[in-house]
């Protein structure tokens, strides 16, 4: 990047910095979402919630299916662009 282009693009630096931070936060959120230890912990919490009567069988089965799907697709855990991801579909 030359001096002139650097000076011309300087006003965009805060936007580019914010986009960089947002991209890294998204990558970390995807990594944590697909971390097997975290998924196992959520499954354990889900089982406790069912045992305590906090959720019904239908809700348990839906969430269990979603969590098990996360465990079965480790290739998607990398957060690479172009892969299908539950966060992209609004399933957080």
């Amino acid at each position: 990047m030359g001096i002139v282009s650097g000076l011309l693009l300087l006003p965009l630096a805060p936007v580019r910095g914010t986009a960089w931070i947002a991209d890294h936060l998204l990558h970390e959120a995807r990594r944590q979402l697909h971390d097997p230890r975290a998924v196992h912990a959520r499954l354990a919490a889900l089982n406790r919630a069912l045992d305590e009567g906090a959720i019904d069988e239908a809700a348990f089965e839906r969430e269990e299916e979603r969590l098990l799907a996360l465990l079965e697709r480790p290739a998607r855990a990398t957060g690479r662009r172009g892969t299908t991801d539950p966060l992209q579909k609004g399933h957080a």
Side-chain angles (χ1 to χ4, degrees), residues 3-45:
I3 293 175
V4 174
S5 62
L7 289 173
L8 291 175
L9 295 175
L10 190 60
L12 296 177
V15 174
R16 290 175 31 210
T18 302
W20 180 84
I21 290 171
D23 186 50
H24 278 74
L25 287 174
L26 180 60
H27 177 74
E28 181 64 16
R30 285 181 180 154
R31 188 191 64 76
Q32 288 181 14
L33 176 68
H34 296 284
D35 180 15
R37 293 175 302 205
V39 174
H40 286 290
R42 289 188 298 226
L43 280 168

Side-chain angles (χ1 to χ4, degrees), residues 46-62:
L46 184 65
N47 281 308
R48 280 193 305 275
L50 179 65
D51 291 342
E52 295 169 357
I55 60 171
D56 62 3
E57 279 285 330
F60 172 82
E61 289 177 7
R62 281 191 308 270

